[in-house]
Amino acid sequence: MSSSRLLDRLVEALQAMPGIGPVSATRIAYNLLDRRREDALRISDALKEAAEHVALCPDCRNYCDAEGERCSICSDFRRRDSGLLCVVESPMDVESFEQSGAFHGTYFVLHGHLSPIDGVGPEELGLDALGRRLDEGGVREMILALGQSAEGEATAQYLTAMAKRRGIPASGIATGIPMGGDIQSVDGLTLTTSLENRRRIG
Amino acid sequence: MSSSRLLDRLVEALQAMPGIGPVSATRIAYNLLDRRREDALRISDALKEAAEHVALCPDCRNYCDAEGERCSICSDFRRRDSGLLCVVESPMDVESFEQSGAFHGTYFVLHGHLSPIDGVGPEELGLDALGRRLDEGGVREMILALGQSAEGEATAQYLTAMAKRRGIPASGIATGIPMGGDIQSVDGLTLTTSLENRRRIG
C-alpha cells in the first residue's frame, strides 16, 4: 500500500508481466512516475495498440499488424523463397531464425504443439491452413523446427504424414538443439548449422 | 525486427522500463500478446491513469491520486501522529517505512537531495512547503531518514538548521543503515531499530 491508489494499481498490474515480481514492479512504477511519464504513456499506447490490433497472418499465422493483413515476412515475397516452408511452434522462434540470418524461406507458426491432454488438436494449431498452403503446390520442402519434447516429436510425426500424403519431402533441423531446450535460447550459429544439417524424415 | 511493426514498437517501448533489456522486453511482449491481451490492456490503462493523474500531495509531496488532493497517508490524520515528521528522499522510502510498520507519524518527501552541481536547490526539494509545515506549529520532532551520501549529509545539515531556527528538535535515524546504502534496500527490522535509536542532532 503506497500513498496513491493509482500507484498501487499500477504496481499490481505490472506483475502480470512474466519475470516481474512485486519488487521489480514497484521499482518500475516509481521510476516511470518520477520524471519519466512520457515513457509511461508511450508504453501504455504501445501495449494498447498491440493488444487491440495485432492479429494472425492468414498465410503463416505469425503476428501481423491488422486482421486480414499479411505479416511483413509474407509480404516480402520477392526476397523470400516460398518453396521452403519452416514450421515452428511460436512467433519467438521465427524471430530467432530471422536474427540468425540463416533462412530466407517462409514460415508457418503453430502457436503450440499437439497436446490432446490440453485440448490442443490439429484445429487449434491451424493445420487446415497449413494443409491448404501445401495443397497450393509451391512448397518443395517442409522444414520442421519444433521443440525436442515428446509433444514436439508427436507433432513432427503428424506434420510429416501431412507432407507425405502430398508428396512433399519433410526435414527436421537436427544438429545443435539441446534435448529439452528451446529454439529461442539457441545462438544464431547453432541455428545456422542445424538448418544446413537438416535431414529428410518423410 | 519481427513480423509486426506494432510488436516491434512494443518491444522497443518496454525497454524504457528500468531493468528491462531487449531479451526481457521481447519475452514480455510475446507473452502478453499470446492469450494474455486482457492483462496487456489492464497494464496499459494503469500506466496511462497513473502517468496522467498521479500528482504530489500538497502536505507531504508524496504521490497522491489527483492534483490538489491529499495522499492517503496525510488523509489518515486520525490514526497518525502529526507531531512526528519523517523526511525522506524518495516516495519508495515512505513505502519501506510503511511496510516495516514501525512509524505512525507523517512524512515529507524531498524527491532527491541538495545537489548544486545538478541544479537541485531548496526550491526543487519543496523546502518552502516544508518550512510552512514547520511554521504551522504542530511538529514536535523532525526525523531525518536520508541517504548516507555526502549530498544526503549536506541536506540533513540544511534541514537541521531549518528546524533549529524554529526551535524544533531534529533527529537522524542512525543504526543499521550501511554507509552508501539505500533506505529502500534495508529490511524492516533494521529500519525499526534505526527509528528507535535515533539521536538528536539539532
Side-chain angles (χ1 to χ4, degrees), chain B residues 9-200:
Chain B
R9 208 181 121 217
L10 176 57
V11 170
E12 193 267 324
L14 288 172
Q15 294 177 51
M17 294 181 175
I20 305 295
V23 174
S24 305
T26 304
R27 196 164 289 271
I28 290 170
Y30 278 103
N31 183 288
L32 289 175
L33 283 179
D34 182 30
R35 300 192 186 90
R36 298 185 58 196
R37 303 213 178 182
E38 288 302 318
D39 283 336
L41 289 173
R42 201 160 53 86
I43 298 168
S44 166
D45 192 50
L47 276 167
K48 187 165 188 285
E49 285 283 306
E52 288 182 345
H53 297 297
V54 168
L56 297 188
C57 170
D59 285 1
C60 72
R61 303 220 327 148
N62 198 351
Y63 291 128
C64 64
D65 282 345
E67 196 69 54
E69 263 185 24
R70 287 169 125 189
C71 75
S72 59
I73 294 174
C74 287
S75 305
D76 194 25
F77 55 89
R78 289 185 192 185
R79 297 194 299 174
R80 291 278 168 177
D81 179 354
S82 62
L84 286 178
L85 180 65
C86 181
V87 182
V88 297
E89 291 186 4
S90 104
M92 282 190 78
D93 297 335
V94 173
E95 195 155 334
S96 295
F97 274 114
E98 290 297 291
Q99 278 170 9
S100 80
F103 186 65
H104 300 284
T106 53
Y107 299 94
F108 190 87
V109 183
L110 300 174
H111 293 272
H113 42 232
L114 291 175
S115 180
I117 211 166
D118 302 314
V120 181
E123 195 174 332
E124 283 71 26
L125 301 183
L127 296 194
D128 45 346
L130 177 62
R132 284 195 299 275
R133 180 118 171 238
L134 297 177
D135 287 335
E136 283 167 8
V139 177
R140 66 177 186 279
E141 180 178 352
M142 181 171 74
I143 303 171
L144 302 179
L146 308 179
Q148 302 297 296
S149 61
E151 290 92 346
E153 294 288 351
T155 310
Q157 284 179 19
Y158 191 98
L159 296 175
T160 304
M162 275 180 74
K164 201 169 189 177
R165 278 200 299 277
R166 291 161 174 90
I168 297 170
S171 57
I173 61 168
T175 311
I177 304 178
M179 286 299 289
D182 286 333
I183 284 168
Q184 296 157 22
S185 56
V186 174
D187 65 272
L189 187 60
T190 309
L191 278 178
T192 305
T193 315
S194 69
L195 274 166
E196 284 166 355
N197 293 351
R198 67 183 182 268
R199 59 198 166 75
R200 184 164 167 163

